[in-house]
Amino acid sequence: MISTKSLSRRGFLNMGVAAGAGYLLPKTGLISPAHAATPLAPVAEEDAHIAFGHTGPTSDEGWTWAHDQGMKAVEAAFPKLRTSYVESIPYSADATRIFRQFVADDANMVFATSNYGDFLYDVANRAPDVAFYECDGRSPLENLGTFYLSHWYPSYVAGIAAGAMSPSGKLGYVASFPVPSVYSGTNAFLMGARSVNPEATLQAIVINSWFDPQAATQAGTALIDNGCDVLFGIMDEAGYLQVAEERGAKAVMWNTDLRRYGPNAYISSIIVDFKDFYVEQVRRRLAGEWTPTQDLLPFGNGVDVDAWGESVPAEVAAKADAVKASILDGSFNPFVGELKDTKGNVKVAKGATMSEQELYHWNWSIEGVSGLDS
Amino acid sequence: MRDSASVQQRLGLTPGTPPILSLKSVSKYFPGVIANESVDLDVYPGEIHALLGENGAGKSTLMNIVTGIYKMDAGELIVDGRRRDFSSPTDAIEAGIGMVHQHFKLVRAFTVAENIHLGWPETPKRISRNSLETRTAQLATDLGLAVNPKAVVADLSTGEQQRVEILRVLARDAKLLILDEPTAVLTPQEARELFTALRAFTARGNAVIFISHKLEEVLEISDRITVLRNGEKVATEWTKDCTEKSLAQLMVGREIVLTETHKKSAIRVKAAPVLSLSDVSLKGEQDTVLKNISFDLYPGEILGIAGVAGNGQRELTYVISGLSQPSSGKIVLDGEDVTRAGARALAQKGIGHIPEDRLHSGMAPTLSITDNAVLREYGAPPLSRKGWFSPRGAANLAREIASIAEVMVPDFNMPARNLSGGNQQRLVARREMRIAERILIAAYPSRGLDVGAINTMMRYFLELRDSGVAVVLISEELEELLSFSDRIAVMFHGEIMGTCPTDKADAETIGLMMGGTRQEDLP
Amino acid sequence: MTSMRLQRMPLAPPRVAFALRVLSVVLAILTAALVLWGSGHNPLALGAKVISSTFGSSFGLEDLSLLFSPLIYCGLSVAVALRIGAWNIGAEGQFNFGALCATGVALFVSGPVWVILPLMGVAGMIGGALWILVPTLARAYADVSELITTLLMNFVAMLLVYWLATGPWLDPSGMALATTSRLPVSVPAFWGIVHWGLPIAILIAIALSLFVTYTRWGYEVRIAGANPGAARYAGMPVRTQLIGIMLLSGALAGLGGMMEVAGTVGRLQGGISNNYGYIGIMVAVLARAAPIGVLATAFFMAVLLNGGIVLQSQGLTTHTVLAVTGLILLYAAIGDEAAHYKILRTKAKDG
């Protein structure tokens, strides 16, 4: 059992050791503090203002909903502080305006639940007293930390079930942008599928949005038309699951349990949970302990596979569960070479293990994935 | 109602006969315009009732109310003694009211028989071509309008097309026939045939409303005349009590002097032509619209161009003013080949052009009066220097033009469309006369003007002519051409049928040429 | 017996028009306040928040300026085209493509800043002009409506930017997602984060306004825009003018894109245009295509948009904010039309 407090950056490290997964430790970057900063001054709970900037609507039943649950957990843990949030922030200069508005509104801590890059850094640089967190971020500052999820492990496990349940061996993926979380998600999923069906392939369609139910639905339809019979993706809502249900295909989802939208199609979901992380970071901020961290919420606490769908055969579920257990207990790591890219170049040598850092920054497709690398 | 008994008696009807159509206090408003205000009108069986008025006097609006196209805002409409409220043109047709518009509503690719039966509820669902034609021939005989049922409409002359249109209306049992400017598209001979057919129609107890602004033919054809001015009825008179002068006065609202005498310019300043066209042809989108036009234009003359509208007059003005380049042939201006010079160069060489559709080409109605007034001179000092434009210079020039054109302009920044049609025409005319050092092309300059303004305009042209400028005057008013031009050329189907000095011309021969007879074939 | 009648006057008296503009904004704000109040918000507090956040802090004023600038470029772009009677619905695409071309220069041409920046400006303008070239030629030579063609080009430009920013031009450091690396040069700022793109835009608006009134070409464009038939009649080269003006329109939007990428954002990425091109249509229409008017309406739109952001941070959803902005525009349009009407008292005749 992992305590709430252990979820700090150091906690994450401890957790890794505790889990006995010594090789999961990143070689560089993620464990060293980005900056030897002094902690920000403490804030009285009743004076505190914690702001959340979301990429989608909190009603999406997915990614933004999960972050919103995190905010509610913060409100429950610290009832006297003030929270505020803005939904559907575009990836444009408007994002800067919104984050600046938070600062102007005396926010002590700002969580950006997606990668807003420079739009956020421009604000953070000019507000040194405010703590910032950027989800999926990559450039820490003295007052800006990053956090994300080791979602490649549950993606691999879900991939095992997908591979076993795909007669054609053709998997489909509804992608937002060709960014590392999409590369790691597609690669891990296909690797899982290939562990049961070495011939499996994966086709991705990029729709240039994290939340666009109509485009996601169209992409799902196109993938099924192309012969894919199991869909995966990184959408914040249930669009392509409904397509799979209608067309008799299967689907693996992200964020939350969405089986009610497609009980027959539902295999599982990459479940995310930010509650403990948010509560812990707010606690540190209020207590005057906060320095920026770079966290990857680990498999099993923060990110997990959902309970299997009703159409998943027992033996498939058992097989996937066994692999999950072996990953969690450290006896097995799926991300070991040899791995080739789509052009056949060896990118990870035989026997070499990919570091957490490499998995987080994965920006190439393995052989068998199409639609991302041009 | 004033002495209707005597009206019926004078028309030879039994006393108490109700009018076929009766309008009581009919009003119609458009945003910003009073189109009709409290108009009363009675039309009795057996009469040809002329509706007279200047452009914009409200004639068309009133007839659109009678034919169910517009709904009136106030008043009553009574047909055959019953109050009616037409909600669509179909209602009006059922009530026995038919209208022949200036622009025919015929399908050009269909035969006469097909056009007559098109959209007619009495046309049987299935019918052979032969029986269609037989029915049409029967109708034509019954109604006394000779047409060839087999002919395709596109092949017919304008007069014949009009006859088909009338037949189409009468076939639907019209008791009241409304004709909107029917003679504008006809040669004098065709007009006379039309009048005969109309008299036969009213003799059967029907009525005609005849819309026109030509005083002469109104006096010839009608029994009574109603004059509209500014949307209101001015008077209804017995035709035999009217003269051209009294009618003109009623139309314009003040006394005017008609047809001044004007001496022809005695001296030809130069014997050499200022402009020569040789074998000029112009291809339109489908066919040739100008065919081998050749003529010389001399300084100090007014050359009248006669012809039914749409026979190439517009294209001729375009070619002379440089708006269109001829497909073949040559145009020489004072010894210089200007066939492909273009509109700007020709304007600079002293060719002014009052276009026939000033709202589409002569002006930019949405722009200020100043902008419109300087359209011809904006490019040269003092208005433009090295690409810079002087708004002040433009305003000065606009004031100057407005003052010689005798147009009162409250605000030179207001859009030109706010001026009345007559004032627009005066401004354009004066603007063009300023640059017309050699030639002025005037296409239908009297359109939209009241009788007084026409006189003023014609006086301008005479002055211009006397100063040695050549004027090309295009008009559909034969009388106007006969009284003002020195020579008259007649156009038909894009060709010039013939040219003759005005003192040797008469309406009869020009009418024949307008109908397509060549000068050399004249009797 | 007197009756009242509304009469449409051809010219709206300027004072009435202005008064109705103000009235319509006030009415729209009142309506919005009523709706907000009905849905449990405190409109007074929200209004005070919007005003203090927008005008009461340098943060707010800087944000306002950064919104103001691209709206001027796009508004001018649409307004200039309207002057010659063309609807440039494609300012969005030209903005994107101008930004793309400027980025190309910044990423692949090296040299001193004072060479690279002007070069980027030129590239942005050429890019914008290039992006309207096909619709322009189609309109000038085949009479194809530019309304559709310019609109369609928007999607192409947008996707092109997405593709470049996430593909070939993706930040190689891996530190930024779905965007190019930070441009090595940027338009210098003169106040806080407000860069020279804004004063340049204002200068261009003034220059265009002078151009329209005080040059021969400006007069010709005015005529050709109001009535091409009259322009041809006066021997003006209507087609050349149309092409020239439409390319200028594209160039203005393209320059706006360059300023946005090199001044405000610093990287090329999808969605860089942020709908400025479409809002520019409203800006131009509200300004009745007058360049100086564009300055006023672009500022007004910037205040609205910035106010919208403030409202969002106060817990209102994007949709509510959009509805409020839409309401203000609708009322302004009604007010403009109403300014043309006058109440007439007429004596009805007996009868």
Side-chain angles (χ1 to χ4, degrees):
Chain A
M1 191 56 213
I2 299 155
S3 76
T4 308
K5 286 185 181 181
S6 72
L7 270 170
S8 67
R9 176 188 48 79
R10 240 165 308 139
F12 164 56
L13 176 61
N14 295 339
M15 188 277 308
V17 174
Y23 52 78
L24 286 180
L25 297 184
K27 285 170 192 141
T28 54
L30 287 178
I31 61 163
S32 58
H35 304 271
T38 46
L40 293 181
V43 184
E45 187 182 328
E46 53 272 26
D47 298 335
H49 174 198
I50 313 292
F52 292 80
H54 294 306
T55 177
T58 53
S59 57
D60 66 358
E61 300 193 57
W63 180 257
T64 303
W65 179 86
H67 285 282
D68 199 44
Q69 295 302 304
M71 185 182 86
K72 294 200 165 97
V74 169
E75 286 168 348
F78 307 100
K80 280 181 271 177
L81 56 69
R82 176 159 75 96
T83 58
S84 64
Y85 66 94
V86 172
E87 303 169 297
S88 303
I89 303 176
Y91 293 86
S92 73
D94 271 1
T96 305
R97 297 188 179 99
I98 288 166
F99 291 124
R100 280 156 63 104
Q101 187 57 41
F102 284 147
V103 172
D105 216 11
D106 302 322
N108 304 105
M109 191 169 203
V110 175
F111 290 97
T113 66
S114 185
N115 181 311
Y116 283 96
D118 289 349
F119 299 126
L120 185 60
Y121 309 152
D122 287 348
V123 182
N125 275 324
R126 297 180 64 188
D129 299 337
V130 182
F132 288 87
Y133 260 115
E134 182 185 25
C135 191
D136 201 14
R138 275 149 174 81
S139 308
L141 303 170
E142 289 197 21
N143 59 335
L144 182 138
T146 65
F147 66 107
Y148 204 52
L149 314 148
S150 308
H151 63 89
W152 31 89
Y153 298 110
S155 297
Y156 181 90
V157 172
I160 297 171
M165 294 172 69
S166 167
S168 72
K170 288 168 91 172
L171 312 177
Y173 189 95
V174 182
S176 51
F177 300 90
V179 293
S181 55
V182 166
Y183 281 108
S184 54
T186 48
N187 291 341
F189 191 64
L190 181 62
M191 287 166 73
R194 284 193 165 176
S195 70
V196 291
N197 176 3
E199 302 301 313
T201 57
L202 182 143
Q203 185 189 5
I205 290 182
V206 176
I207 66 164
N208 286 328
S209 175
W210 297 100
F211 181 80
D212 186 342
Q214 199 194 348
T217 305
Q218 285 169 349
T221 307
L223 288 167
I224 293 176
D225 286 344
N226 252 1
C228 300
D229 48 16
V230 179
L231 300 183
F232 186 31
I234 189 156
M235 291 295 110
D236 296 347
E237 35 67 41
Y240 68 86
L241 174 62
Q242 287 161 315
V243 175
E245 180 78 10
E246 277 170 29
R247 302 281 301 264
K250 305 290 175 198
V252 177
M253 307 305 294
W254 248 90
N255 304 317
T256 53
D257 182 352
L258 292 167
R259 70 189 72 213
R260 64 191 176 285
Y261 291 104
N264 295 314
Y266 191 78
I267 293 179
S268 184
S269 180
I270 312 302
I271 296 286
V272 300
D273 180 355
F274 300 96
K275 294 195 280 288
D276 294 349
F277 173 76
Y278 280 161
V279 170
E280 167 63 8
Q281 296 307 331
V282 171
R283 185 199 66 74
R284 292 178 61 227
R285 177 71 185 88
L286 298 182
E289 294 170 14
W290 193 83
T291 52
T293 61
Q294 291 183 274
D295 283 288
L296 274 179
L297 309 194
F299 188 22
N301 196 321
V303 61
D304 208 337
V305 277
D306 190 19
W308 299 106
E310 55 188 59
S311 64
V312 179
E315 68 275 15
V316 171
K319 177 164 188 169
D321 283 339
V323 174
K324 174 182 171 181
S326 66
I327 293 175
L328 284 175
D329 71 16
S331 60
F332 171 65
N333 184 343
F335 303 104
V336 176
E338 185 188 62
L339 290 176
K340 290 179 183 168
D341 68 9
T342 51
K343 297 192 179 74
N345 306 317
V346 176
K347 300 285 273 193
V348 178
K350 197 168 176 67
T353 304
M354 290 181 78
S355 68
E356 248 2 41
Q357 178 82 313
E358 286 167 333
L359 288 162
Y360 185 42
H361 291 297
W362 212 339
N363 63 355
W364 49 274
S365 283
I366 62 166
E367 183 267 319
V369 175
S370 58
L372 294 176
D373 281 350
S374 39
Chain B
M1 225 182 283
R2 31 185 202 118
D3 35 288
S4 67
S6 81
V7 172
Q8 287 134 339
Q9 275 167 357
R10 286 182 73 173
L11 284 166
L13 302 166
T14 34
T17 308
I20 285 189
L21 172 75
S22 181
L23 300 180
K24 298 202 188 303
S25 293
V26 168
S27 300
K28 174 77 191 170
Y29 310 108
F30 294 114
V33 186
I34 300 166
N36 288 126
E37 179 85 54
S38 296
V39 176
D40 295 318
L41 179 71
D42 291 321
V43 180
Y44 288 94
E47 78 163 324
I48 296 182
H49 195 117
L51 198 54
L52 196 61
E54 297 178 59
N55 286 2
K59 295 171 296 192
S60 300
T61 309
L62 192 65
M63 289 305 109
N64 280 329
I65 291 169
V66 171
T67 51
I69 293 170
Y70 292 154
K71 277 186 94 75
M72 57 192 154
D73 294 329
E76 278 181 44
L77 190 156
I78 297 159
V79 180
D80 275 339
R82 280 181 55 209
R83 196 186 154 163
R84 301 297 297 253
D85 189 11
F86 298 146
S87 54
S88 77
T90 324
D91 291 353
I93 291 169
E94 276 169 18
I97 297 173
M99 179 156 177
V100 173
H101 294 266
Q102 260 177 302
H103 302 283
F104 305 144
K105 305 199 172 343
L106 298 173
V107 182
R108 291 172 58 80
F110 282 14
T111 64
V112 170
E114 285 164 341
N115 267 293
I116 296 286
H117 287 86
L118 195 65
W120 187 14
E122 285 180 31
T123 308
K125 284 257 170 1
R126 294 170 164 278
I127 186 168
S128 71
R129 173 176 291 267
N130 267 340
S131 36
L132 264 188
E133 284 164 5
T134 320
R135 283 170 59 102
T136 306
Q138 186 59 44
L139 274 169
T141 323
D142 292 350
L143 297 168
L145 288 161
V147 294
N148 171 9
K150 288 186 208 285
V152 174
V153 165
D155 298 336
L156 299 180
S157 76
T158 323
E160 289 169 316
Q161 290 186 21
Q162 190 183 56
R163 219 175 301 145
V164 176
E165 183 81 16
I166 293 173
L167 182 60
R168 202 167 83 103
V169 172
L170 296 190
R172 284 142 178 82
D173 287 330
K175 290 193 295 286
L176 173 64
L177 177 64
I178 304 169
L179 296 161
D180 188 7
E181 303 270 359
T183 57
V185 293
L186 301 181
T187 64
Q189 286 85 355
E190 286 173 327
R192 217 156 299 135
E193 288 172 31
L194 172 68
F195 290 173
T196 313
L198 292 183
R199 290 216 179 82
F201 176 66
T202 50
R204 295 196 293 272
N206 302 308
V208 169
I209 296 181
F210 188 94
I211 305 173
S212 180
H213 62 267
K214 294 184 188 172
L215 305 179
E216 191 192 8
E217 69 185 26
V218 162
L219 287 170
E220 181 186 340
I221 183 73
S222 65
D223 299 302
R224 291 195 301 155
I225 301 173
T226 292
V227 181
L228 293 183
R229 187 169 71 227
N230 298 332
E232 295 185 46
K233 184 175 104 169
V234 182
T236 298
E237 304 282 349
W238 287 95
T239 306
K240 51 186 68 137
D241 303 339
C242 296
T243 63
E244 279 195 38
K245 194 170 170 181
S246 69
L247 286 177
Q249 204 171 323
L250 285 173
M251 275 167 73
V252 181
R254 62 190 150 86
E255 191 157 357
I256 44 146
V257 190
L258 271 177
T259 359
E260 296 171 358
T261 51
H262 51 279
K263 287 205 187 96
K264 308 269 183 235
S265 66
I267 17 143
R268 279 271 148 75
V269 185
K270 278 192 260 177
V274 60
L275 185 81
S276 298
L277 273 69
S278 28
D279 272 335
V280 169
S281 294
L282 179 69
K283 285 198 172 58
E285 273 178 18
Q286 274 129 28
D287 46 4
T288 309
V289 286
L290 288 181
K291 281 177 223 151
N292 304 322
I293 302 263
S294 298
F295 66 82
D296 289 331
L297 183 66
Y298 293 93
E301 74 162 341
I302 296 181
L303 174 66
I305 308 273
V308 173
N311 272 290
Q313 295 95 320
R314 177 206 301 242
E315 289 75 12
L316 182 65
T317 65
Y318 281 13
V319 163
I320 304 178
S321 63
L323 274 173
S324 302
Q325 255 103 68
S327 334
S328 65
K330 199 172 167 189
I331 303 176
V332 176
L333 176 71
D334 268 343
E336 185 188 354
D337 185 344
V338 294
T339 317
R340 322 225 154 262
R344 178 179 299 222
L346 287 179
Q348 277 160 3
K349 288 176 197 298
I351 299 187
H353 176 200
I354 303 171
E356 69 170 289
D357 46 358
R358 60 176 176 270
L359 285 180
H360 288 111
S361 54
M363 307 188 89
T366 54
L367 294 184
S368 70
I369 292 167
T370 302
D371 278 347
N372 276 288
V374 305
L375 189 59
R376 285 302 196 177
E377 294 172 65
Y378 74 91
L383 268 65
S384 282
R385 284 194 180 87
K386 292 184 178 153
W388 293 100
F389 178 77
S390 158
R392 183 183 299 196
N396 289 338
L397 177 60
R399 261 195 295 277
E400 195 181 325
I401 292 178
S403 92
I404 50 170
E406 292 167 15
V407 173
M408 284 292 299
V409 178
D411 176 5
F412 279 84
N413 290 321
M414 83 182 183
R417 62 164 175 234
N418 292 9
L419 292 175
S420 72
N423 280 343
Q424 290 174 0
Q425 183 74 322
R426 265 194 279 245
L427 273 185
V428 170
R430 271 301 174 180
R431 183 186 76 198
E432 296 308 309
M433 286 163 64
R434 276 176 63 89
I435 63 156
E437 285 165 9
R438 289 171 163 162
I439 299 171
L440 178 70
I441 306 159
Y444 308 106
S446 51
R447 268 192 196 166
L449 296 187
D450 60 44
V451 187
I454 293 174
N455 265 356
T456 317
M457 177 82 61
M458 291 302 161
R459 210 177 55 235
Y460 293 166
F461 295 161
L462 295 173
E463 286 167 15
L464 214 54
R465 175 196 71 182
D466 292 343
S467 69
V469 174
V471 178
V472 178
L473 173 64
I474 295 171
S475 175
E476 54 203 354
E477 316 281 335
L478 210 44
E479 199 197 344
E480 192 172 285
L481 292 173
L482 285 167
S483 23
F484 293 100
S485 28
D486 300 301
R487 288 189 298 152
I488 296 179
V490 185
M491 290 194 75
F492 177 77
H493 283 189
E495 288 182 78
I496 289 189
M497 292 288 110
T499 310
C500 58
T502 308
D503 42 20
K504 296 203 180 95
D506 59 84
E508 189 63 28
T509 51
I510 289 178
L512 283 171
M513 289 196 278
M514 280 165 74
T517 315
R518 285 176 198 280
Q519 194 170 24
E520 52 269 28
D521 303 333
L522 282 172
Chain C
M1 193 171 89
T2 50
S3 65
M4 304 242 281
R5 203 166 73 233
L6 275 179
Q7 170 108 29
R8 189 179 200 284
M9 310 305 279
L11 210 60
R15 220 181 301 158
V16 176
F18 180 75
L20 278 171
R21 274 265 163 110
V22 173
L23 183 71
S24 62
V25 171
V26 171
L27 276 180
I29 290 173
L30 281 181
T31 317
L34 216 64
V35 172
L36 290 177
W37 182 66
S39 62
H41 293 85
N42 178 351
L44 275 181
L46 281 178
K49 188 90 204 167
V50 166
I51 289 168
S52 70
S53 295
T54 308
F55 298 104
S57 72
S58 64
F59 257 28
L61 287 172
E62 286 172 26
D63 279 347
L64 193 64
S65 310
L66 287 185
L67 275 170
F68 188 22
S69 167
L71 290 177
I72 300 176
Y73 285 106
C74 292
L76 287 178
S77 167
V78 179
V80 158
L82 273 179
R83 285 254 152 197
I84 198 136
W87 280 98
N88 180 10
I89 308 297
E92 183 87 1
Q94 294 135 26
F95 189 94
N96 266 299
F97 199 70
L100 187 155
C101 291
T103 304
V105 169
L107 292 181
F108 301 107
V109 182
S110 50
V113 182
W114 55 270
V115 174
I116 295 298
L117 267 184
L119 206 59
M120 286 171 71
V122 171
M125 290 196 277
I126 293 179
L130 218 58
W131 210 248
I132 203 177
L133 182 66
V134 172
T136 301
L137 297 180
R139 159 84 194 260
Y141 290 96
D143 213 19
V144 176
S145 164
E146 73 288 347
L147 216 80
I148 306 294
T149 47
T150 51
L151 176 66
L152 291 179
M153 297 287 284
N154 286 349
F155 303 109
V156 183
M158 211 178 66
L159 291 172
L160 211 58
V161 167
Y162 266 123
W163 174 68
L164 279 175
T166 58
W169 291 4
L170 180 66
D171 184 1
S173 75
M175 288 295 122
L177 305 181
T179 163
T180 65
S181 46
R182 187 124 201 153
L183 303 189
V185 292
S186 60
V187 179
F190 64 92
W191 174 57
I193 54 168
V194 182
H195 53 85
W196 281 95
L198 177 63
I200 292 174
I202 294 173
L203 285 179
I204 292 176
I206 294 170
L208 280 174
S209 168
L210 295 178
F211 163 85
V212 168
T213 319
Y214 291 104
T215 68
R216 213 178 96 173
W217 208 43
Y219 173 79
E220 293 185 347
V221 166
R222 203 152 66 222
I223 297 284
N227 185 357
R232 265 189 291 275
Y233 159 85
M236 296 173 187
V238 177
R239 184 176 285 167
T240 321
Q241 284 171 346
L242 178 76
I243 294 174
I245 289 292
M246 284 183 73
L247 293 185
L248 174 66
S249 164
L252 286 170
L255 184 62
M258 174 268 172
M259 293 294 180
E260 187 74 4
V261 78
T264 306
V265 176
R267 299 170 188 260
L268 180 68
Q269 57 173 40
I272 182 127
S273 52
N274 206 18
N275 289 334
Y276 294 134
Y278 296 118
I279 300 169
I281 300 170
M282 284 191 260
V283 167
V285 170
L286 283 178
R288 300 205 187 127
I292 292 293
V294 163
L295 290 182
T297 53
F299 184 77
F300 176 65
M301 284 302 299
V303 172
L304 279 190
L305 292 177
N306 203 54
I309 284 165
V310 176
L311 287 181
Q312 279 186 61
S313 73
Q314 299 305 307
L316 269 78
T317 65
T318 337
H319 306 288
T320 322
V321 173
L322 283 177
V324 173
T325 10
L327 202 63
I328 292 181
L329 289 174
L330 177 72
Y331 278 35
I334 295 175
D336 273 13
E337 183 59 23
H340 283 271
Y341 283 86
K342 197 171 147 182
I343 297 168
L344 289 187
R345 277 164 220 277
T346 47
K347 278 213 171 83
K349 282 183 187 162
D350 295 338

